[in-house]
Each structure stands twice: as structure tokens, then as C-alpha cells.
Amino acid sequence: IHHPPAIANPMNIALIGYGKMGKEIEAIATSRDHTIGLRLDSANTIDNADLSNIDAAIDFSVPNSAVNNIKACLSVKLPIIIGTTGWMKNFEEVKDLCIHTQGALFYASNFSLGVNIMFNANEKLARLMNPHTSYNVSIEETHHTEKLDSPSGTAITLAEGLIKNLSGKSKWENKETSEDGSISIISHREGNVPGTHSVSYDSSVDNIELKHTAKGRAGFAIGAVTAAEWLPGKKGVFTMNDLLEN
């Protein structure tokens, strides 16, 4: 895979979560001349960590520790990039804390450039499909068995994009549903699949499908490291839209 070139200002990065994704981020970060100054996992948590010499933290941990990790970083004004999903019910609380501490938080349901292009295409396609009520829309996603949240944050983002642009849809359900205002999200957990997402419009005469298939974890890691390079010096809550528009 083509790795982006090394940059002029090497950083000292904390990795929160040191599973397969953390190791992929480490490989990308070190190839770009950054240092991994701290590696945290379930046995070595942020509560006892020295964050004083860290320039940015990247969190790909687990949903039930994500909010605590964010709070710990914001409390010492450490920019944090969070790729963990499944914590968004606490978003308003986290956002308020970020503003109060004048900290910097970057979150995404998916750090892949390709997926973020799909998010954009999903909304455009939904606007085109809105008048055509003979089509029923649904979402399908497949991930590795280690993924703890279901549906994926990416599938939820796709569903939100549909709800915003399809006047007949007002909610999603993580099951097959025939309810008029609902969007079905069908989730599969199998093998070592990095992530596949599809949005399907089905009618009696044809099927239109928008699909993204990740070939590995490198695309997510490159996005996360790029966010870590972009975030320091900024204040507020940012997403991939902010990064891609710059």
C-alpha cells in the first residue's frame, strides 16, 4: 500500500487501545517519523498514565472506556482523536466538556477516505431517489467478530444520511423491518472482515447499490494519523468533514 510521505514536524503520540488497529496506526505513524510515546490497553489504562510529553492521543479502544479516555485527555488539554464507536449517547456531555476546557477533539465513525466519500455519495443518491417511492432502501454491514458494537458507527452514519434526505424515512432499526418509516440495518459479524457497507435500493424491476469494501486496516490508520497531524493547535470538536475541506 502507498503510505503518505513523512512530515516535517514529528509528534509524540499516545495510542489508547493496542489491538490490531492500534498496531496498524503505530506502523503508519512511525513510517511518517512520529514516535509512539505511550501504549495503553485494558491492563494499562489512562488513569495512571503520564500524558505530559504527549502531543496527541489516538483512541481505538472499547466503547465503555472511550468517554473516560476523552475526559482524561481534555482535562490536560491533550488533543484526542477518537475512532472508537458506540459512545455517542454521551456526545453532548463530551462536546460541552471540550468547549469548557478549550480542548480539541476529533471523532469519526470511520476514518477511511473512501468511506467518507461514500457518506457524501449516499446523501446525493438519497436526494435523487427521494421522489421514487417504489424503491425500498436498506443497509447491510459486515465486520470481524471482534467488533463490539452493532450496528457499526459507519452504518448509523449512512442511516442518518438517508433519514436527512428521504422524506419517507424517520428512523433505523438493527434488524429486517417492513415498517414504512424505518430503515433496516442488517449486521453480520464473521471472520476477519475489516468492514463492508452497502446501501441498497430495491424495487420490483431493479436494484441500485452503493458499496464500500475495506481491503485492510491501513486506510483507517492513515486517516487517524492524518487527523492527529492536523488537530494540534485547534480548539473545538472536529470531524472528517473539517479535515477533508482543508
Side-chain angles (χ1 to χ4, degrees), residues 11-44:
M11 300 168 67
N12 195 22
I13 295 172
L15 290 181
I16 307 173
Y18 196 57
K20 289 173 183 172
M21 194 65 212
K23 292 179 175 71
E24 190 78 52
I25 291 167
E26 180 176 47
I28 299 292
T30 53
S31 78
R32 290 166 71 109
D33 294 342
H34 301 304
T35 303
I36 305 303
L38 189 63
R39 296 169 186 83
L40 300 174
D41 56 25
S42 56
N44 178 26

PDB file of all heavy atoms in Angstrom, residues 11-44:
ATOM      1  N   MET A  11       5.761  13.988  15.838  1.00  0.00           N
ATOM      2  CA  MET A  11       4.962  14.104  17.051  1.00  0.00           C
ATOM      3  C   MET A  11       5.208  12.911  17.964  1.00  0.00           C
ATOM      4  O   MET A  11       5.646  11.857  17.511  1.00  0.00           O
ATOM      5  CB  MET A  11       3.468  14.150  16.694  1.00  0.00           C
ATOM      6  CG  MET A  11       3.072  15.292  15.801  1.00  0.00           C
ATOM      7  SD  MET A  11       1.383  15.050  15.174  1.00  0.00           S
ATOM      8  CE  MET A  11       0.458  15.222  16.686  1.00  0.00           C
ATOM      9  N   ASN A  12       4.897  13.112  19.239  1.00  0.00           N
ATOM     10  CA  ASN A  12       4.913  12.032  20.216  1.00  0.00           C
ATOM     11  C   ASN A  12       3.460  11.659  20.496  1.00  0.00           C
ATOM     12  O   ASN A  12       2.692  12.466  21.036  1.00  0.00           O
ATOM     13  CB  ASN A  12       5.620  12.483  21.498  1.00  0.00           C
ATOM     14  CG  ASN A  12       5.982  11.325  22.392  1.00  0.00           C
ATOM     15  OD1 ASN A  12       6.087  10.185  21.946  1.00  0.00           O
ATOM     16  ND2 ASN A  12       6.182  11.611  23.671  1.00  0.00           N
ATOM     17  N   ILE A  13       3.058  10.467  20.072  1.00  0.00           N
ATOM     18  CA  ILE A  13       1.651  10.072  20.068  1.00  0.00           C
ATOM     19  C   ILE A  13       1.375   9.013  21.131  1.00  0.00           C
ATOM     20  O   ILE A  13       2.185   8.099  21.331  1.00  0.00           O
ATOM     21  CB  ILE A  13       1.265   9.530  18.670  1.00  0.00           C
ATOM     22  CG1 ILE A  13       1.366  10.650  17.622  1.00  0.00           C
ATOM     23  CG2 ILE A  13      -0.139   8.915  18.666  1.00  0.00           C
ATOM     24  CD1 ILE A  13       1.195  10.175  16.186  1.00  0.00           C
ATOM     25  N   ALA A  14       0.239   9.137  21.805  1.00  0.00           N
ATOM     26  CA  ALA A  14      -0.241   8.088  22.706  1.00  0.00           C
ATOM     27  C   ALA A  14      -1.265   7.243  21.962  1.00  0.00           C
ATOM     28  O   ALA A  14      -2.186   7.781  21.334  1.00  0.00           O
ATOM     29  CB  ALA A  14      -0.890   8.703  23.943  1.00  0.00           C
ATOM     30  N   LEU A  15      -1.110   5.930  22.003  1.00  0.00           N
ATOM     31  CA  LEU A  15      -2.088   5.010  21.438  1.00  0.00           C
ATOM     32  C   LEU A  15      -2.934   4.448  22.570  1.00  0.00           C
ATOM     33  O   LEU A  15      -2.408   3.790  23.471  1.00  0.00           O
ATOM     34  CB  LEU A  15      -1.394   3.854  20.713  1.00  0.00           C
ATOM     35  CG  LEU A  15      -0.671   4.188  19.404  1.00  0.00           C
ATOM     36  CD1 LEU A  15      -0.060   2.915  18.828  1.00  0.00           C
ATOM     37  CD2 LEU A  15      -1.624   4.818  18.395  1.00  0.00           C
ATOM     38  N   ILE A  16      -4.232   4.741  22.540  1.00  0.00           N
ATOM     39  CA  ILE A  16      -5.142   4.211  23.545  1.00  0.00           C
ATOM     40  C   ILE A  16      -5.910   3.075  22.875  1.00  0.00           C
ATOM     41  O   ILE A  16      -6.728   3.311  21.985  1.00  0.00           O
ATOM     42  CB  ILE A  16      -6.101   5.301  24.060  1.00  0.00           C
ATOM     43  CG1 ILE A  16      -5.310   6.536  24.532  1.00  0.00           C
ATOM     44  CG2 ILE A  16      -6.969   4.758  25.182  1.00  0.00           C
ATOM     45  CD1 ILE A  16      -6.187   7.721  24.900  1.00  0.00           C
ATOM     46  N   GLY A  17      -5.611   1.864  23.302  1.00  0.00           N
ATOM     47  CA  GLY A  17      -6.085   0.681  22.599  1.00  0.00           C
ATOM     48  C   GLY A  17      -4.942   0.181  21.729  1.00  0.00           C
ATOM     49  O   GLY A  17      -4.490   0.879  20.820  1.00  0.00           O
ATOM     50  N   TYR A  18      -4.445  -1.003  22.047  1.00  0.00           N
ATOM     51  CA  TYR A  18      -3.271  -1.507  21.320  1.00  0.00           C
ATOM     52  C   TYR A  18      -3.569  -2.884  20.736  1.00  0.00           C
ATOM     53  O   TYR A  18      -2.804  -3.817  20.862  1.00  0.00           O
ATOM     54  CB  TYR A  18      -2.042  -1.523  22.245  1.00  0.00           C
ATOM     55  CG  TYR A  18      -0.731  -1.661  21.503  1.00  0.00           C
ATOM     56  CD1 TYR A  18      -0.370  -0.748  20.515  1.00  0.00           C
ATOM     57  CD2 TYR A  18       0.133  -2.716  21.786  1.00  0.00           C
ATOM     58  CE1 TYR A  18       0.817  -0.889  19.835  1.00  0.00           C
ATOM     59  CE2 TYR A  18       1.327  -2.862  21.107  1.00  0.00           C
ATOM     60  CZ  TYR A  18       1.673  -1.941  20.128  1.00  0.00           C
ATOM     61  OH  TYR A  18       2.863  -2.075  19.438  1.00  0.00           O
ATOM     62  N   GLY A  19      -4.734  -2.971  20.088  1.00  0.00           N
ATOM     63  CA  GLY A  19      -5.092  -4.179  19.360  1.00  0.00           C
ATOM     64  C   GLY A  19      -4.594  -4.087  17.928  1.00  0.00           C
ATOM     65  O   GLY A  19      -3.620  -3.380  17.629  1.00  0.00           O
ATOM     66  N   LYS A  20      -5.280  -4.783  17.026  1.00  0.00           N
ATOM     67  CA  LYS A  20      -4.847  -4.794  15.616  1.00  0.00           C
ATOM     68  C   LYS A  20      -4.858  -3.395  15.011  1.00  0.00           C
ATOM     69  O   LYS A  20      -3.962  -3.027  14.259  1.00  0.00           O
ATOM     70  CB  LYS A  20      -5.760  -5.732  14.812  1.00  0.00           C
ATOM     71  CG  LYS A  20      -5.534  -7.201  15.149  1.00  0.00           C
ATOM     72  CD  LYS A  20      -6.544  -8.101  14.472  1.00  0.00           C
ATOM     73  CE  LYS A  20      -6.333  -9.560  14.900  1.00  0.00           C
ATOM     74  NZ  LYS A  20      -7.420 -10.438  14.416  1.00  0.00           N
ATOM     75  N   MET A  21      -5.882  -2.608  15.355  1.00  0.00           N
ATOM     76  CA  MET A  21      -5.959  -1.243  14.823  1.00  0.00           C
ATOM     77  C   MET A  21      -4.843  -0.374  15.391  1.00  0.00           C
ATOM     78  O   MET A  21      -4.207   0.391  14.661  1.00  0.00           O
ATOM     79  CB  MET A  21      -7.332  -0.648  15.156  1.00  0.00           C
ATOM     80  CG  MET A  21      -7.649   0.595  14.387  1.00  0.00           C
ATOM     81  SD  MET A  21      -7.793   0.300  12.621  1.00  0.00           S
ATOM     82  CE  MET A  21      -7.204   1.877  12.035  1.00  0.00           C
ATOM     83  N   GLY A  22      -4.592  -0.493  16.694  1.00  0.00           N
ATOM     84  CA  GLY A  22      -3.511   0.271  17.316  1.00  0.00           C
ATOM     85  C   GLY A  22      -2.162  -0.038  16.694  1.00  0.00           C
ATOM     86  O   GLY A  22      -1.344   0.863  16.442  1.00  0.00           O
ATOM     87  N   LYS A  23      -1.919  -1.299  16.408  1.00  0.00           N
ATOM     88  CA  LYS A  23      -0.644  -1.705  15.800  1.00  0.00           C
ATOM     89  C   LYS A  23      -0.526  -1.182  14.363  1.00  0.00           C
ATOM     90  O   LYS A  23       0.558  -0.803  13.912  1.00  0.00           O
ATOM     91  CB  LYS A  23      -0.490  -3.221  15.860  1.00  0.00           C
ATOM     92  CG  LYS A  23      -0.317  -3.747  17.295  1.00  0.00           C
ATOM     93  CD  LYS A  23      -0.198  -5.260  17.340  1.00  0.00           C
ATOM     94  CE  LYS A  23       0.092  -5.761  18.757  1.00  0.00           C
ATOM     95  NZ  LYS A  23      -1.074  -5.626  19.651  1.00  0.00           N
ATOM     96  N   GLU A  24      -1.646  -1.144  13.648  1.00  0.00           N
ATOM     97  CA  GLU A  24      -1.644  -0.588  12.287  1.00  0.00           C
ATOM     98  C   GLU A  24      -1.343   0.909  12.315  1.00  0.00           C
ATOM     99  O   GLU A  24      -0.571   1.424  11.499  1.00  0.00           O
ATOM    100  CB  GLU A  24      -2.999  -0.841  11.623  1.00  0.00           C
ATOM    101  CG  GLU A  24      -3.041  -0.540  10.145  1.00  0.00           C
ATOM    102  CD  GLU A  24      -2.407  -1.613   9.272  1.00  0.00           C
ATOM    103  OE1 GLU A  24      -2.764  -2.798   9.409  1.00  0.00           O
ATOM    104  OE2 GLU A  24      -1.563  -1.241   8.435  1.00  0.00           O
ATOM    105  N   ILE A  25      -1.939   1.615  13.292  1.00  0.00           N
ATOM    106  CA  ILE A  25      -1.673   3.048  13.452  1.00  0.00           C
ATOM    107  C   ILE A  25      -0.202   3.276  13.792  1.00  0.00           C
ATOM    108  O   ILE A  25       0.440   4.193  13.266  1.00  0.00           O
ATOM    109  CB  ILE A  25      -2.594   3.656  14.535  1.00  0.00           C
ATOM    110  CG1 ILE A  25      -4.036   3.675  14.023  1.00  0.00           C
ATOM    111  CG2 ILE A  25      -2.149   5.056  14.929  1.00  0.00           C
ATOM    112  CD1 ILE A  25      -5.068   3.964  15.090  1.00  0.00           C
ATOM    113  N   GLU A  26       0.341   2.433  14.667  1.00  0.00           N
ATOM    114  CA  GLU A  26       1.758   2.534  15.021  1.00  0.00           C
ATOM    115  C   GLU A  26       2.641   2.418  13.775  1.00  0.00           C
ATOM    116  O   GLU A  26       3.582   3.208  13.594  1.00  0.00           O
ATOM    117  CB  GLU A  26       2.119   1.441  16.029  1.00  0.00           C
ATOM    118  CG  GLU A  26       3.570   1.472  16.460  1.00  0.00           C
ATOM    119  CD  GLU A  26       3.862   0.436  17.546  1.00  0.00           C
ATOM    120  OE1 GLU A  26       3.433  -0.726  17.382  1.00  0.00           O
ATOM    121  OE2 GLU A  26       4.500   0.811  18.543  1.00  0.00           O
ATOM    122  N   ALA A  27       2.333   1.465  12.921  1.00  0.00           N
ATOM    123  CA  ALA A  27       3.134   1.259  11.709  1.00  0.00           C
ATOM    124  C   ALA A  27       3.084   2.490  10.800  1.00  0.00           C
ATOM    125  O   ALA A  27       4.122   2.945  10.279  1.00  0.00           O
ATOM    126  CB  ALA A  27       2.652   0.020  10.962  1.00  0.00           C
ATOM    127  N   ILE A  28       1.884   3.045  10.611  1.00  0.00           N
ATOM    128  CA  ILE A  28       1.747   4.230   9.761  1.00  0.00           C
ATOM    129  C   ILE A  28       2.439   5.431  10.400  1.00  0.00           C
ATOM    130  O   ILE A  28       3.171   6.179   9.740  1.00  0.00           O
ATOM    131  CB  ILE A  28       0.249   4.552   9.513  1.00  0.00           C
ATOM    132  CG1 ILE A  28      -0.461   3.391   8.802  1.00  0.00           C
ATOM    133  CG2 ILE A  28       0.094   5.858   8.733  1.00  0.00           C
ATOM    134  CD1 ILE A  28      -0.046   3.139   7.385  1.00  0.00           C
ATOM    135  N   ALA A  29       2.220   5.627  11.704  1.00  0.00           N
ATOM    136  CA  ALA A  29       2.790   6.787  12.398  1.00  0.00           C
ATOM    137  C   ALA A  29       4.314   6.765  12.370  1.00  0.00           C
ATOM    138  O   ALA A  29       4.956   7.789  12.076  1.00  0.00           O
ATOM    139  CB  ALA A  29       2.278   6.832  13.843  1.00  0.00           C
ATOM    140  N   THR A  30       4.897   5.606  12.655  1.00  0.00           N
ATOM    141  CA  THR A  30       6.368   5.535  12.680  1.00  0.00           C
ATOM    142  C   THR A  30       6.946   5.671  11.269  1.00  0.00           C
ATOM    143  O   THR A  30       8.034   6.221  11.102  1.00  0.00           O
ATOM    144  CB  THR A  30       6.857   4.238  13.359  1.00  0.00           C
ATOM    145  OG1 THR A  30       6.235   3.107  12.740  1.00  0.00           O
ATOM    146  CG2 THR A  30       6.509   4.241  14.841  1.00  0.00           C
ATOM    147  N   SER A  31       6.208   5.232  10.255  1.00  0.00           N
ATOM    148  CA  SER A  31       6.673   5.416   8.873  1.00  0.00           C
ATOM    149  C   SER A  31       6.684   6.888   8.477  1.00  0.00           C
ATOM    150  O   SER A  31       7.361   7.289   7.532  1.00  0.00           O
ATOM    151  CB  SER A  31       5.799   4.621   7.892  1.00  0.00           C
ATOM    152  OG  SER A  31       4.566   5.273   7.649  1.00  0.00           O
ATOM    153  N   ARG A  32       5.942   7.698   9.226  1.00  0.00           N
ATOM    154  CA  ARG A  32       5.897   9.149   8.982  1.00  0.00           C
ATOM    155  C   ARG A  32       6.738   9.910  10.012  1.00  0.00           C
ATOM    156  O   ARG A  32       6.538  11.105  10.232  1.00  0.00           O
ATOM    157  CB  ARG A  32       4.437   9.615   9.020  1.00  0.00           C
ATOM    158  CG  ARG A  32       3.635   9.109   7.821  1.00  0.00           C
ATOM    159  CD  ARG A  32       2.144   9.272   7.994  1.00  0.00           C
ATOM    160  NE  ARG A  32       1.667  10.638   7.928  1.00  0.00           N
ATOM    161  CZ  ARG A  32       0.947  11.152   6.922  1.00  0.00           C
ATOM    162  NH1 ARG A  32       0.649  10.392   5.892  1.00  0.00           N
ATOM    163  NH2 ARG A  32       0.533  12.390   6.945  1.00  0.00           N
ATOM    164  N   ASP A  33       7.661   9.206  10.663  1.00  0.00           N
ATOM    165  CA  ASP A  33       8.657   9.787  11.585  1.00  0.00           C
ATOM    166  C   ASP A  33       8.094  10.216  12.931  1.00  0.00           C
ATOM    167  O   ASP A  33       8.753  10.924  13.694  1.00  0.00           O
ATOM    168  CB  ASP A  33       9.405  10.983  10.944  1.00  0.00           C
ATOM    169  CG  ASP A  33      10.278  10.555   9.777  1.00  0.00           C
ATOM    170  OD1 ASP A  33      10.578   9.349   9.682  1.00  0.00           O
ATOM    171  OD2 ASP A  33      10.648  11.419   8.968  1.00  0.00           O
ATOM    172  N   HIS A  34       6.867   9.778  13.277  1.00  0.00           N
ATOM    173  CA  HIS A  34       6.341  10.058  14.606  1.00  0.00           C
ATOM    174  C   HIS A  34       6.854   9.004  15.591  1.00  0.00           C
ATOM    175  O   HIS A  34       7.299   7.923  15.196  1.00  0.00           O
ATOM    176  CB  HIS A  34       4.809  10.041  14.596  1.00  0.00           C
ATOM    177  CG  HIS A  34       4.208  11.031  13.654  1.00  0.00           C
ATOM    178  ND1 HIS A  34       4.489  12.377  13.704  1.00  0.00           N
ATOM    179  CD2 HIS A  34       3.337  10.870  12.613  1.00  0.00           C
ATOM    180  CE1 HIS A  34       3.821  12.998  12.747  1.00  0.00           C
ATOM    181  NE2 HIS A  34       3.120  12.111  12.069  1.00  0.00           N
ATOM    182  N   THR A  35       6.756   9.340  16.872  1.00  0.00           N
ATOM    183  CA  THR A  35       7.135   8.419  17.947  1.00  0.00           C
ATOM    184  C   THR A  35       5.876   8.007  18.702  1.00  0.00           C
ATOM    185  O   THR A  35       4.987   8.829  18.927  1.00  0.00           O
ATOM    186  CB  THR A  35       8.095   9.125  18.936  1.00  0.00           C
ATOM    187  OG1 THR A  35       9.227   9.598  18.207  1.00  0.00           O
ATOM    188  CG2 THR A  35       8.558   8.184  20.033  1.00  0.00           C
ATOM    189  N   ILE A  36       5.807   6.742  19.080  1.00  0.00           N
ATOM    190  CA  ILE A  36       4.722   6.287  19.963  1.00  0.00           C
ATOM    191  C   ILE A  36       5.271   6.335  21.385  1.00  0.00           C
ATOM    192  O   ILE A  36       6.064   5.499  21.797  1.00  0.00           O
ATOM    193  CB  ILE A  36       4.243   4.865  19.599  1.00  0.00           C
ATOM    194  CG1 ILE A  36       3.828   4.791  18.117  1.00  0.00           C
ATOM    195  CG2 ILE A  36       3.081   4.461  20.508  1.00  0.00           C
ATOM    196  CD1 ILE A  36       2.743   5.758  17.689  1.00  0.00           C
ATOM    197  N   GLY A  37       4.855   7.364  22.127  1.00  0.00           N
ATOM    198  CA  GLY A  37       5.398   7.588  23.462  1.00  0.00           C
ATOM    199  C   GLY A  37       4.660   6.834  24.550  1.00  0.00           C
ATOM    200  O   GLY A  37       5.153   6.704  25.671  1.00  0.00           O
ATOM    201  N   LEU A  38       3.469   6.322  24.213  1.00  0.00           N
ATOM    202  CA  LEU A  38       2.641   5.657  25.220  1.00  0.00           C
ATOM    203  C   LEU A  38       1.688   4.697  24.530  1.00  0.00           C
ATOM    204  O   LEU A  38       1.063   5.051  23.531  1.00  0.00           O
ATOM    205  CB  LEU A  38       1.849   6.727  25.992  1.00  0.00           C
ATOM    206  CG  LEU A  38       1.055   6.329  27.227  1.00  0.00           C
ATOM    207  CD1 LEU A  38       1.983   5.791  28.311  1.00  0.00           C
ATOM    208  CD2 LEU A  38       0.277   7.539  27.758  1.00  0.00           C
ATOM    209  N   ARG A  39       1.635   3.485  25.060  1.00  0.00           N
ATOM    210  CA  ARG A  39       0.692   2.485  24.547  1.00  0.00           C
ATOM    211  C   ARG A  39      -0.173   2.024  25.718  1.00  0.00           C
ATOM    212  O   ARG A  39       0.377   1.509  26.697  1.00  0.00           O
ATOM    213  CB  ARG A  39       1.439   1.283  23.951  1.00  0.00           C
ATOM    214  CG  ARG A  39       2.286   1.613  22.745  1.00  0.00           C
ATOM    215  CD  ARG A  39       3.202   0.446  22.369  1.00  0.00           C
ATOM    216  NE  ARG A  39       4.116   0.797  21.295  1.00  0.00           N
ATOM    217  CZ  ARG A  39       5.270   1.439  21.467  1.00  0.00           C
ATOM    218  NH1 ARG A  39       5.644   1.811  22.697  1.00  0.00           N
ATOM    219  NH2 ARG A  39       6.034   1.715  20.436  1.00  0.00           N
ATOM    220  N   LEU A  40      -1.486   2.213  25.594  1.00  0.00           N
ATOM    221  CA  LEU A  40      -2.392   1.845  26.675  1.00  0.00           C
ATOM    222  C   LEU A  40      -3.345   0.762  26.209  1.00  0.00           C
ATOM    223  O   LEU A  40      -3.800   0.770  25.060  1.00  0.00           O
ATOM    224  CB  LEU A  40      -3.195   3.070  27.136  1.00  0.00           C
ATOM    225  CG  LEU A  40      -2.370   4.250  27.676  1.00  0.00           C
ATOM    226  CD1 LEU A  40      -3.275   5.436  27.954  1.00  0.00           C
ATOM    227  CD2 LEU A  40      -1.608   3.850  28.936  1.00  0.00           C
ATOM    228  N   ASP A  41      -3.650  -0.177  27.094  1.00  0.00           N
ATOM    229  CA  ASP A  41      -4.619  -1.225  26.780  1.00  0.00           C
ATOM    230  C   ASP A  41      -5.429  -1.526  28.038  1.00  0.00           C
ATOM    231  O   ASP A  41      -5.370  -0.775  29.020  1.00  0.00           O
ATOM    232  CB  ASP A  41      -3.928  -2.475  26.220  1.00  0.00           C
ATOM    233  CG  ASP A  41      -2.860  -3.021  27.167  1.00  0.00           C
ATOM    234  OD1 ASP A  41      -2.963  -2.769  28.395  1.00  0.00           O
ATOM    235  OD2 ASP A  41      -1.931  -3.695  26.693  1.00  0.00           O
ATOM    236  N   SER A  42      -6.164  -2.614  28.044  1.00  0.00           N
ATOM    237  CA  SER A  42      -7.052  -2.906  29.175  1.00  0.00           C
ATOM    238  C   SER A  42      -6.280  -3.159  30.472  1.00  0.00           C
ATOM    239  O   SER A  42      -6.804  -2.977  31.565  1.00  0.00           O
ATOM    240  CB  SER A  42      -7.932  -4.116  28.849  1.00  0.00           C
ATOM    241  OG  SER A  42      -7.125  -5.229  28.515  1.00  0.00           O
ATOM    242  N   ALA A  43      -5.004  -3.558  30.349  1.00  0.00           N
ATOM    243  CA  ALA A  43      -4.197  -3.835  31.548  1.00  0.00           C
ATOM    244  C   ALA A  43      -3.428  -2.602  32.013  1.00  0.00           C
ATOM    245  O   ALA A  43      -2.853  -2.589  33.094  1.00  0.00           O
ATOM    246  CB  ALA A  43      -3.225  -4.976  31.260  1.00  0.00           C
ATOM    247  N   ASN A  44      -3.412  -1.570  31.187  1.00  0.00           N
ATOM    248  CA  ASN A  44      -2.573  -0.400  31.441  1.00  0.00           C
ATOM    249  C   ASN A  44      -3.387   0.818  31.008  1.00  0.00           C
ATOM    250  O   ASN A  44      -3.260   1.288  29.891  1.00  0.00           O
ATOM    251  CB  ASN A  44      -1.285  -0.549  30.619  1.00  0.00           C
ATOM    252  CG  ASN A  44      -0.355   0.634  30.761  1.00  0.00           C
ATOM    253  OD1 ASN A  44      -0.382   1.333  31.764  1.00  0.00           O
ATOM    254  ND2 ASN A  44       0.448   0.866  29.736  1.00  0.00           N
TER     255      ASN A  44
END
